[in-house]
Amino acid sequence: MTAASDRATALTRLTLVEACAAVREGEVTSEALTQAALDAFKAGDAHINASIALEREQALDIARGLDKLRKAGRLLGPLHGIPLAHKDMYYRAGKPCTCGSKIRRTFRPTFTATAIRRLEDAGSVTLGSLNMAEFAQNPTGHNAHFGDCHNPWHVDYCTGGSSSGSGAAVAARFVYAALGSDTGGSIRLPASMCGVTGIKGTQSRVSRHGAMPLSFSADNVGPLARTARDCARVLHTIAGHDPADPTSSTEPVADYEAALNGDLRALRIGIPTNFFFDGADPEVRDAFEVAIKVLQSRGAKTMRLEIPHMDAINTYASIVSRVEGATIHAQWMRARPHDYSMHLAGRLYAGYAIPAVHYVEALSRRGPLLRALGNEVFDKVDVFATPTMRMKVPTLAATDIDAGAPGAIEAFAIIIANTRAINYMGLPSVSVPCGFDANGLPIGFQIQGRPFAEAKILKVADALQQDTDWHERVPVLPAVQPPENGPGAR
Amino acid sequence: MSTNIEDQVEAQARVWSGVAPPHAASRDFAHGLVEAIRGFERARGQLVFEDEPSSFEAALQETKERAP
């Protein structure tokens, strides 16, 4: 390894917040960070297939421009000069946006998503687009059209989805952060399976203007990054009302980073006694309990309590996104159903048979169920914590529905069990690494708070990261040829 | 009319949306609705709510984090 490559590796290993400071202080240029990120993709992405399209020359030109601005004493914002890449479902004017699909392979939107614009206005450099589940509709990272995304910790295993490329690219140290989207766990699951941090805010916290819709009621835009502090920086940049998205909240955006002081002495953490640990793998349980002890050592008080109405919440959550997704895809399902992967076409198809009366029941009971949660849980505790996923990270082969893997449909349901209900309730939720299983794959710890308590859940996540080093561990990508079932195999 | 869930899904999707089963395995996905139906059955009469459908956005505000 040369001194130059050592330097590039050192740059890619910085956290986002560290990289921001280095650019701001003139210790490194945006061009150097951008080149290092592009080189990292070039060196490692053949193994994990995290990207769909990179815009190398354009990114370097933008980085050089940002360096000139800095030399002139001007910083665009808190992300000045930082290379990022995003799930390929965020519209950028004139750029291809495939949504991970064959159907939208040539789609070029005419406007830019608000979240992307806010990140770029804050000084970030967009490197390109990242792999994802087709139309953001599977929790594993399989993709029949652009190739499966592979876990950087072991290429035979799932990255999680649907923000598969975002989780993999952040874990592999290709980028400092990436936008994902989360309708049933699609930020938190890849964060958990790839060993990074990911947050979805309260429903309506971030504008969805220019984000491919999946389910109007449950879609969320949010970041995956290496640390809770990095997530706080990115979320703060993109959160807040957007006139272009009337459903976005006018609630003021808190200073998330200011809350990250590690002091948990007044904090009460709930640990569910029902549902969230049903059938949980013992290794997942053990890692969760160790993380709880870490938080207790910082002064947090814990309480075991029941989360009310979980059966109803899960029933309702199970149909809302199905119906809304089926509605969005109806014309394509009539006209070109065979352009979908087998599992997605099958999932959408079932949505057309759900009676409207039950969809309306599910939506109309969302408010009362949230109030019940407020009264029966959040009057007793400040946050509640669960494993992000009950099972250990599965292999791609074991969860490949299209290949007919036995039990794969059932595995999908288990994977999303602890995340989907949170979307139905609209709560903010963050996943942070809390260990590794015997296969060497990460385990995630999930924290939920009241609506608009993003600062509080990030504070807990950050406190955990102050006393653990799970988030600092870096996967070693294979130094050999890509796997036979790797990118391009489909 | 068939009481088989797979047949019912096929009829509903075709009649209401003009969507045909995309492939033979679609019936497996149709079968996945059985658990949701059972969930609705269990919820009948078990939950007490207001008479009027209430706004989820209002509930977000009512239950939100308050400044200390």
PDB file of all heavy atoms in Angstrom, chain A residues 415-450:
ATOM      1  N   ILE A 415     -38.376 -10.197   9.202  1.00  0.00           N
ATOM      2  CA  ILE A 415     -37.385  -9.118   9.099  1.00  0.00           C
ATOM      3  C   ILE A 415     -38.009  -7.770   9.464  1.00  0.00           C
ATOM      4  O   ILE A 415     -37.406  -6.969  10.184  1.00  0.00           O
ATOM      5  CB  ILE A 415     -36.792  -9.083   7.678  1.00  0.00           C
ATOM      6  CG1 ILE A 415     -35.881 -10.293   7.443  1.00  0.00           C
ATOM      7  CG2 ILE A 415     -36.014  -7.784   7.433  1.00  0.00           C
ATOM      8  CD1 ILE A 415     -35.453 -10.477   5.992  1.00  0.00           C
ATOM      9  N   ILE A 416     -39.226  -7.505   8.976  1.00  0.00           N
ATOM     10  CA  ILE A 416     -39.821  -6.173   9.183  1.00  0.00           C
ATOM     11  C   ILE A 416     -40.681  -6.083  10.442  1.00  0.00           C
ATOM     12  O   ILE A 416     -41.242  -5.023  10.724  1.00  0.00           O
ATOM     13  CB  ILE A 416     -40.678  -5.747   7.972  1.00  0.00           C
ATOM     14  CG1 ILE A 416     -41.901  -6.663   7.798  1.00  0.00           C
ATOM     15  CG2 ILE A 416     -39.843  -5.718   6.703  1.00  0.00           C
ATOM     16  CD1 ILE A 416     -42.853  -6.177   6.723  1.00  0.00           C
ATOM     17  N   ALA A 417     -40.762  -7.153  11.208  1.00  0.00           N
ATOM     18  CA  ALA A 417     -41.710  -7.181  12.326  1.00  0.00           C
ATOM     19  C   ALA A 417     -41.514  -6.018  13.303  1.00  0.00           C
ATOM     20  O   ALA A 417     -42.490  -5.413  13.760  1.00  0.00           O
ATOM     21  CB  ALA A 417     -41.592  -8.521  13.064  1.00  0.00           C
ATOM     22  N   ASN A 418     -40.261  -5.698  13.635  1.00  0.00           N
ATOM     23  CA  ASN A 418     -40.026  -4.679  14.665  1.00  0.00           C
ATOM     24  C   ASN A 418     -39.946  -3.257  14.118  1.00  0.00           C
ATOM     25  O   ASN A 418     -39.830  -2.308  14.896  1.00  0.00           O
ATOM     26  CB  ASN A 418     -38.724  -4.995  15.419  1.00  0.00           C
ATOM     27  CG  ASN A 418     -38.917  -6.100  16.433  1.00  0.00           C
ATOM     28  OD1 ASN A 418     -39.985  -6.722  16.493  1.00  0.00           O
ATOM     29  ND2 ASN A 418     -37.891  -6.358  17.229  1.00  0.00           N
ATOM     30  N   THR A 419     -39.966  -3.122  12.815  1.00  0.00           N
ATOM     31  CA  THR A 419     -39.834  -1.776  12.239  1.00  0.00           C
ATOM     32  C   THR A 419     -41.148  -1.248  11.669  1.00  0.00           C
ATOM     33  O   THR A 419     -41.458  -0.070  11.814  1.00  0.00           O
ATOM     34  CB  THR A 419     -38.760  -1.758  11.130  1.00  0.00           C
ATOM     35  OG1 THR A 419     -39.033  -2.811  10.185  1.00  0.00           O
ATOM     36  CG2 THR A 419     -37.375  -1.955  11.717  1.00  0.00           C
ATOM     37  N   ARG A 420     -41.917  -2.105  11.004  1.00  0.00           N
ATOM     38  CA  ARG A 420     -43.093  -1.632  10.278  1.00  0.00           C
ATOM     39  C   ARG A 420     -44.125  -0.975  11.192  1.00  0.00           C
ATOM     40  O   ARG A 420     -44.728   0.046  10.843  1.00  0.00           O
ATOM     41  CB  ARG A 420     -43.737  -2.796   9.520  1.00  0.00           C
ATOM     42  CG  ARG A 420     -44.896  -2.368   8.642  1.00  0.00           C
ATOM     43  CD  ARG A 420     -45.519  -3.554   7.933  1.00  0.00           C
ATOM     44  NE  ARG A 420     -46.014  -4.539   8.880  1.00  0.00           N
ATOM     45  CZ  ARG A 420     -46.487  -5.732   8.552  1.00  0.00           C
ATOM     46  NH1 ARG A 420     -46.498  -6.093   7.287  1.00  0.00           N
ATOM     47  NH2 ARG A 420     -46.922  -6.575   9.476  1.00  0.00           N
ATOM     48  N   ALA A 421     -44.306  -1.548  12.371  1.00  0.00           N
ATOM     49  CA  ALA A 421     -45.303  -0.995  13.291  1.00  0.00           C
ATOM     50  C   ALA A 421     -44.958   0.442  13.681  1.00  0.00           C
ATOM     51  O   ALA A 421     -45.849   1.261  13.934  1.00  0.00           O
ATOM     52  CB  ALA A 421     -45.395  -1.871  14.546  1.00  0.00           C
ATOM     53  N   ILE A 422     -43.672   0.740  13.737  1.00  0.00           N
ATOM     54  CA  ILE A 422     -43.246   2.088  14.125  1.00  0.00           C
ATOM     55  C   ILE A 422     -43.661   3.103  13.064  1.00  0.00           C
ATOM     56  O   ILE A 422     -44.033   4.240  13.372  1.00  0.00           O
ATOM     57  CB  ILE A 422     -41.710   2.113  14.335  1.00  0.00           C
ATOM     58  CG1 ILE A 422     -41.282   1.019  15.324  1.00  0.00           C
ATOM     59  CG2 ILE A 422     -41.261   3.496  14.794  1.00  0.00           C
ATOM     60  CD1 ILE A 422     -41.932   1.076  16.678  1.00  0.00           C
ATOM     61  N   ASN A 423     -43.603   2.711  11.793  1.00  0.00           N
ATOM     62  CA  ASN A 423     -44.045   3.609  10.718  1.00  0.00           C
ATOM     63  C   ASN A 423     -45.540   3.881  10.829  1.00  0.00           C
ATOM     64  O   ASN A 423     -45.995   5.011  10.622  1.00  0.00           O
ATOM     65  CB  ASN A 423     -43.741   3.002   9.351  1.00  0.00           C
ATOM     66  CG  ASN A 423     -42.264   2.916   9.083  1.00  0.00           C
ATOM     67  OD1 ASN A 423     -41.570   2.123   9.697  1.00  0.00           O
ATOM     68  ND2 ASN A 423     -41.770   3.751   8.181  1.00  0.00           N
ATOM     69  N   TYR A 424     -46.298   2.844  11.134  1.00  0.00           N
ATOM     70  CA  TYR A 424     -47.743   3.041  11.271  1.00  0.00           C
ATOM     71  C   TYR A 424     -48.027   4.052  12.368  1.00  0.00           C
ATOM     72  O   TYR A 424     -48.924   4.895  12.238  1.00  0.00           O
ATOM     73  CB  TYR A 424     -48.424   1.705  11.569  1.00  0.00           C
ATOM     74  CG  TYR A 424     -49.907   1.826  11.790  1.00  0.00           C
ATOM     75  CD1 TYR A 424     -50.777   2.015  10.717  1.00  0.00           C
ATOM     76  CD2 TYR A 424     -50.434   1.768  13.075  1.00  0.00           C
ATOM     77  CE1 TYR A 424     -52.140   2.143  10.921  1.00  0.00           C
ATOM     78  CE2 TYR A 424     -51.802   1.897  13.284  1.00  0.00           C
ATOM     79  CZ  TYR A 424     -52.653   2.080  12.218  1.00  0.00           C
ATOM     80  OH  TYR A 424     -53.999   2.218  12.427  1.00  0.00           O
ATOM     81  N   MET A 425     -47.270   3.989  13.458  1.00  0.00           N
ATOM     82  CA  MET A 425     -47.496   4.913  14.561  1.00  0.00           C
ATOM     83  C   MET A 425     -46.876   6.294  14.312  1.00  0.00           C
ATOM     84  O   MET A 425     -47.117   7.224  15.073  1.00  0.00           O
ATOM     85  CB  MET A 425     -46.924   4.334  15.870  1.00  0.00           C
ATOM     86  CG  MET A 425     -47.501   2.982  16.261  1.00  0.00           C
ATOM     87  SD  MET A 425     -49.302   2.951  16.212  1.00  0.00           S
ATOM     88  CE  MET A 425     -49.677   4.135  17.477  1.00  0.00           C
ATOM     89  N   GLY A 426     -46.073   6.405  13.281  1.00  0.00           N
ATOM     90  CA  GLY A 426     -45.512   7.705  12.917  1.00  0.00           C
ATOM     91  C   GLY A 426     -44.386   8.177  13.807  1.00  0.00           C
ATOM     92  O   GLY A 426     -44.017   9.354  13.780  1.00  0.00           O
ATOM     93  N   LEU A 427     -43.816   7.285  14.612  1.00  0.00           N
ATOM     94  CA  LEU A 427     -42.822   7.693  15.610  1.00  0.00           C
ATOM     95  C   LEU A 427     -41.428   7.860  14.992  1.00  0.00           C
ATOM     96  O   LEU A 427     -41.077   7.153  14.044  1.00  0.00           O
ATOM     97  CB  LEU A 427     -42.728   6.642  16.722  1.00  0.00           C
ATOM     98  CG  LEU A 427     -44.017   6.338  17.477  1.00  0.00           C
ATOM     99  CD1 LEU A 427     -43.778   5.211  18.465  1.00  0.00           C
ATOM    100  CD2 LEU A 427     -44.528   7.583  18.193  1.00  0.00           C
ATOM    101  N   PRO A 428     -40.611   8.736  15.569  1.00  0.00           N
ATOM    102  CA  PRO A 428     -39.207   8.780  15.165  1.00  0.00           C
ATOM    103  C   PRO A 428     -38.484   7.548  15.707  1.00  0.00           C
ATOM    104  O   PRO A 428     -38.781   7.090  16.815  1.00  0.00           O
ATOM    105  CB  PRO A 428     -38.698  10.063  15.822  1.00  0.00           C
ATOM    106  CG  PRO A 428     -39.552  10.237  17.028  1.00  0.00           C
ATOM    107  CD  PRO A 428     -40.913   9.699  16.649  1.00  0.00           C
ATOM    108  N   SER A 429     -37.546   7.051  14.924  1.00  0.00           N
ATOM    109  CA  SER A 429     -36.886   5.803  15.299  1.00  0.00           C
ATOM    110  C   SER A 429     -35.495   5.777  14.703  1.00  0.00           C
ATOM    111  O   SER A 429     -35.291   6.139  13.545  1.00  0.00           O
ATOM    112  CB  SER A 429     -37.707   4.620  14.768  1.00  0.00           C
ATOM    113  OG  SER A 429     -37.102   3.386  15.077  1.00  0.00           O
ATOM    114  N   VAL A 430     -34.537   5.333  15.511  1.00  0.00           N
ATOM    115  CA  VAL A 430     -33.142   5.263  15.055  1.00  0.00           C
ATOM    116  C   VAL A 430     -32.605   3.865  15.334  1.00  0.00           C
ATOM    117  O   VAL A 430     -32.949   3.245  16.341  1.00  0.00           O
ATOM    118  CB  VAL A 430     -32.276   6.344  15.754  1.00  0.00           C
ATOM    119  CG1 VAL A 430     -32.230   6.147  17.258  1.00  0.00           C
ATOM    120  CG2 VAL A 430     -30.873   6.379  15.187  1.00  0.00           C
ATOM    121  N   SER A 431     -31.797   3.368  14.404  1.00  0.00           N
ATOM    122  CA  SER A 431     -31.110   2.088  14.612  1.00  0.00           C
ATOM    123  C   SER A 431     -29.617   2.335  14.716  1.00  0.00           C
ATOM    124  O   SER A 431     -29.035   3.040  13.878  1.00  0.00           O
ATOM    125  CB  SER A 431     -31.389   1.125  13.457  1.00  0.00           C
ATOM    126  OG  SER A 431     -30.688  -0.097  13.640  1.00  0.00           O
ATOM    127  N   VAL A 432     -29.005   1.760  15.751  1.00  0.00           N
ATOM    128  CA  VAL A 432     -27.555   1.875  15.937  1.00  0.00           C
ATOM    129  C   VAL A 432     -26.966   0.479  16.136  1.00  0.00           C
ATOM    130  O   VAL A 432     -27.633  -0.415  16.669  1.00  0.00           O
ATOM    131  CB  VAL A 432     -27.195   2.737  17.175  1.00  0.00           C
ATOM    132  CG1 VAL A 432     -27.452   4.180  16.913  1.00  0.00           C
ATOM    133  CG2 VAL A 432     -27.955   2.284  18.398  1.00  0.00           C
ATOM    134  N   PRO A 433     -25.731   0.274  15.732  1.00  0.00           N
ATOM    135  CA  PRO A 433     -25.117  -1.043  15.925  1.00  0.00           C
ATOM    136  C   PRO A 433     -24.918  -1.347  17.415  1.00  0.00           C
ATOM    137  O   PRO A 433     -24.562  -0.457  18.192  1.00  0.00           O
ATOM    138  CB  PRO A 433     -23.759  -0.925  15.229  1.00  0.00           C
ATOM    139  CG  PRO A 433     -23.781   0.345  14.456  1.00  0.00           C
ATOM    140  CD  PRO A 433     -24.822   1.219  15.052  1.00  0.00           C
ATOM    141  N   CYS A 434     -25.167  -2.605  17.787  1.00  0.00           N
ATOM    142  CA  CYS A 434     -24.952  -2.971  19.196  1.00  0.00           C
ATOM    143  C   CYS A 434     -24.196  -4.296  19.320  1.00  0.00           C
ATOM    144  O   CYS A 434     -24.192  -4.894  20.405  1.00  0.00           O
ATOM    145  CB  CYS A 434     -26.266  -3.021  19.953  1.00  0.00           C
ATOM    146  SG  CYS A 434     -27.364  -4.364  19.475  1.00  0.00           S
ATOM    147  N   GLY A 435     -23.566  -4.741  18.260  1.00  0.00           N
ATOM    148  CA  GLY A 435     -22.783  -5.965  18.367  1.00  0.00           C
ATOM    149  C   GLY A 435     -22.717  -6.693  17.047  1.00  0.00           C
ATOM    150  O   GLY A 435     -23.189  -6.191  16.019  1.00  0.00           O
ATOM    151  N   PHE A 436     -22.121  -7.879  17.119  1.00  0.00           N
ATOM    152  CA  PHE A 436     -22.005  -8.734  15.941  1.00  0.00           C
ATOM    153  C   PHE A 436     -22.418 -10.151  16.330  1.00  0.00           C
ATOM    154  O   PHE A 436     -22.202 -10.575  17.470  1.00  0.00           O
ATOM    155  CB  PHE A 436     -20.566  -8.740  15.409  1.00  0.00           C
ATOM    156  CG  PHE A 436     -20.193  -7.463  14.686  1.00  0.00           C
ATOM    157  CD1 PHE A 436     -19.846  -6.326  15.394  1.00  0.00           C
ATOM    158  CD2 PHE A 436     -20.229  -7.399  13.303  1.00  0.00           C
ATOM    159  CE1 PHE A 436     -19.526  -5.146  14.739  1.00  0.00           C
ATOM    160  CE2 PHE A 436     -19.912  -6.224  12.634  1.00  0.00           C
ATOM    161  CZ  PHE A 436     -19.559  -5.092  13.362  1.00  0.00           C
ATOM    162  N   ASP A 437     -22.996 -10.872  15.365  1.00  0.00           N
ATOM    163  CA  ASP A 437     -23.379 -12.247  15.653  1.00  0.00           C
ATOM    164  C   ASP A 437     -22.211 -13.196  15.355  1.00  0.00           C
ATOM    165  O   ASP A 437     -21.126 -12.767  14.931  1.00  0.00           O
ATOM    166  CB  ASP A 437     -24.654 -12.627  14.890  1.00  0.00           C
ATOM    167  CG  ASP A 437     -24.469 -12.618  13.374  1.00  0.00           C
ATOM    168  OD1 ASP A 437     -23.339 -12.839  12.898  1.00  0.00           O
ATOM    169  OD2 ASP A 437     -25.471 -12.399  12.661  1.00  0.00           O
ATOM    170  N   ALA A 438     -22.462 -14.460  15.567  1.00  0.00           N
ATOM    171  CA  ALA A 438     -21.385 -15.440  15.400  1.00  0.00           C
ATOM    172  C   ALA A 438     -20.924 -15.568  13.949  1.00  0.00           C
ATOM    173  O   ALA A 438     -19.828 -16.062  13.677  1.00  0.00           O
ATOM    174  CB  ALA A 438     -21.861 -16.805  15.911  1.00  0.00           C
ATOM    175  N   ASN A 439     -21.763 -15.096  13.024  1.00  0.00           N
ATOM    176  CA  ASN A 439     -21.377 -15.113  11.606  1.00  0.00           C
ATOM    177  C   ASN A 439     -20.568 -13.875  11.217  1.00  0.00           C
ATOM    178  O   ASN A 439     -20.181 -13.732  10.057  1.00  0.00           O
ATOM    179  CB  ASN A 439     -22.619 -15.187  10.709  1.00  0.00           C
ATOM    180  CG  ASN A 439     -23.418 -16.457  10.932  1.00  0.00           C
ATOM    181  OD1 ASN A 439     -22.838 -17.523  11.126  1.00  0.00           O
ATOM    182  ND2 ASN A 439     -24.737 -16.353  10.915  1.00  0.00           N
ATOM    183  N   GLY A 440     -20.383 -12.975  12.168  1.00  0.00           N
ATOM    184  CA  GLY A 440     -19.644 -11.746  11.880  1.00  0.00           C
ATOM    185  C   GLY A 440     -20.493 -10.655  11.266  1.00  0.00           C
ATOM    186  O   GLY A 440     -19.968  -9.681  10.720  1.00  0.00           O
ATOM    187  N   LEU A 441     -21.819 -10.784  11.382  1.00  0.00           N
ATOM    188  CA  LEU A 441     -22.726  -9.780  10.833  1.00  0.00           C
ATOM    189  C   LEU A 441     -23.273  -8.904  11.963  1.00  0.00           C
ATOM    190  O   LEU A 441     -23.483  -9.382  13.082  1.00  0.00           O
ATOM    191  CB  LEU A 441     -23.883 -10.455  10.094  1.00  0.00           C
ATOM    192  CG  LEU A 441     -23.667 -10.884   8.638  1.00  0.00           C
ATOM    193  CD1 LEU A 441     -23.380  -9.674   7.746  1.00  0.00           C
ATOM    194  CD2 LEU A 441     -22.555 -11.899   8.500  1.00  0.00           C
ATOM    195  N   PRO A 442     -23.551  -7.633  11.661  1.00  0.00           N
ATOM    196  CA  PRO A 442     -23.970  -6.699  12.723  1.00  0.00           C
ATOM    197  C   PRO A 442     -25.358  -6.984  13.287  1.00  0.00           C
ATOM    198  O   PRO A 442     -26.189  -7.624  12.657  1.00  0.00           O
ATOM    199  CB  PRO A 442     -23.964  -5.345  11.999  1.00  0.00           C
ATOM    200  CG  PRO A 442     -23.119  -5.526  10.785  1.00  0.00           C
ATOM    201  CD  PRO A 442     -23.325  -6.958  10.368  1.00  0.00           C
ATOM    202  N   ILE A 443     -25.567  -6.452  14.484  1.00  0.00           N
ATOM    203  CA  ILE A 443     -26.868  -6.503  15.163  1.00  0.00           C
ATOM    204  C   ILE A 443     -27.266  -5.062  15.482  1.00  0.00           C
ATOM    205  O   ILE A 443     -26.409  -4.253  15.872  1.00  0.00           O
ATOM    206  CB  ILE A 443     -26.773  -7.324  16.471  1.00  0.00           C
ATOM    207  CG1 ILE A 443     -26.379  -8.778  16.160  1.00  0.00           C
ATOM    208  CG2 ILE A 443     -28.096  -7.275  17.247  1.00  0.00           C
ATOM    209  CD1 ILE A 443     -26.047  -9.600  17.390  1.00  0.00           C
ATOM    210  N   GLY A 444     -28.550  -4.747  15.310  1.00  0.00           N
ATOM    211  CA  GLY A 444     -29.005  -3.370  15.505  1.00  0.00           C
ATOM    212  C   GLY A 444     -29.876  -3.191  16.733  1.00  0.00           C
ATOM    213  O   GLY A 444     -30.616  -4.097  17.140  1.00  0.00           O
ATOM    214  N   PHE A 445     -29.799  -2.001  17.298  1.00  0.00           N
ATOM    215  CA  PHE A 445     -30.542  -1.594  18.496  1.00  0.00           C
ATOM    216  C   PHE A 445     -31.422  -0.422  18.070  1.00  0.00           C
ATOM    217  O   PHE A 445     -30.934   0.569  17.538  1.00  0.00           O
ATOM    218  CB  PHE A 445     -29.525  -1.164  19.558  1.00  0.00           C
ATOM    219  CG  PHE A 445     -30.076  -0.789  20.901  1.00  0.00           C
ATOM    220  CD1 PHE A 445     -30.256  -1.747  21.889  1.00  0.00           C
ATOM    221  CD2 PHE A 445     -30.366   0.539  21.209  1.00  0.00           C
ATOM    222  CE1 PHE A 445     -30.729  -1.400  23.152  1.00  0.00           C
ATOM    223  CE2 PHE A 445     -30.839   0.896  22.463  1.00  0.00           C
ATOM    224  CZ  PHE A 445     -31.013  -0.082  23.444  1.00  0.00           C
ATOM    225  N   GLN A 446     -32.726  -0.536  18.311  1.00  0.00           N
ATOM    226  CA  GLN A 446     -33.676   0.443  17.793  1.00  0.00           C
ATOM    227  C   GLN A 446     -34.295   1.244  18.939  1.00  0.00           C
ATOM    228  O   GLN A 446     -34.740   0.672  19.939  1.00  0.00           O
ATOM    229  CB  GLN A 446     -34.770  -0.293  17.004  1.00  0.00           C
ATOM    230  CG  GLN A 446     -35.777   0.595  16.330  1.00  0.00           C
ATOM    231  CD  GLN A 446     -36.798  -0.183  15.509  1.00  0.00           C
ATOM    232  OE1 GLN A 446     -36.897  -0.004  14.312  1.00  0.00           O
ATOM    233  NE2 GLN A 446     -37.560  -1.049  16.149  1.00  0.00           N
ATOM    234  N   ILE A 447     -34.358   2.556  18.771  1.00  0.00           N
ATOM    235  CA  ILE A 447     -34.871   3.445  19.824  1.00  0.00           C
ATOM    236  C   ILE A 447     -35.991   4.311  19.252  1.00  0.00           C
ATOM    237  O   ILE A 447     -35.815   4.948  18.208  1.00  0.00           O
ATOM    238  CB  ILE A 447     -33.753   4.368  20.354  1.00  0.00           C
ATOM    239  CG1 ILE A 447     -32.518   3.552  20.751  1.00  0.00           C
ATOM    240  CG2 ILE A 447     -34.250   5.216  21.519  1.00  0.00           C
ATOM    241  CD1 ILE A 447     -31.227   4.348  20.692  1.00  0.00           C
ATOM    242  N   GLN A 448     -37.131   4.346  19.964  1.00  0.00           N
ATOM    243  CA  GLN A 448     -38.281   5.141  19.543  1.00  0.00           C
ATOM    244  C   GLN A 448     -38.612   6.184  20.605  1.00  0.00           C
ATOM    245  O   GLN A 448     -38.457   5.924  21.804  1.00  0.00           O
ATOM    246  CB  GLN A 448     -39.532   4.270  19.366  1.00  0.00           C
ATOM    247  CG  GLN A 448     -39.518   3.342  18.210  1.00  0.00           C
ATOM    248  CD  GLN A 448     -38.503   2.224  18.302  1.00  0.00           C
ATOM    249  OE1 GLN A 448     -37.794   1.972  17.335  1.00  0.00           O
ATOM    250  NE2 GLN A 448     -38.393   1.573  19.439  1.00  0.00           N
ATOM    251  N   GLY A 449     -39.101   7.336  20.166  1.00  0.00           N
ATOM    252  CA  GLY A 449     -39.546   8.358  21.099  1.00  0.00           C
ATOM    253  C   GLY A 449     -40.903   8.902  20.701  1.00  0.00           C
ATOM    254  O   GLY A 449     -41.513   8.456  19.720  1.00  0.00           O
ATOM    255  N   ARG A 450     -41.363   9.862  21.462  1.00  0.00           N
ATOM    256  CA  ARG A 450     -42.601  10.559  21.110  1.00  0.00           C
ATOM    257  C   ARG A 450     -42.451  11.233  19.746  1.00  0.00           C
ATOM    258  O   ARG A 450     -41.321  11.463  19.289  1.00  0.00           O
ATOM    259  CB  ARG A 450     -42.883  11.669  22.136  1.00  0.00           C
ATOM    260  CG  ARG A 450     -43.422  11.219  23.464  1.00  0.00           C
ATOM    261  CD  ARG A 450     -43.633  12.454  24.337  1.00  0.00           C
ATOM    262  NE  ARG A 450     -44.228  12.120  25.632  1.00  0.00           N
ATOM    263  CZ  ARG A 450     -45.535  12.002  25.843  1.00  0.00           C
ATOM    264  NH1 ARG A 450     -46.389  12.189  24.860  1.00  0.00           N
ATOM    265  NH2 ARG A 450     -45.992  11.711  27.049  1.00  0.00           N
TER     266      ARG A 450
END
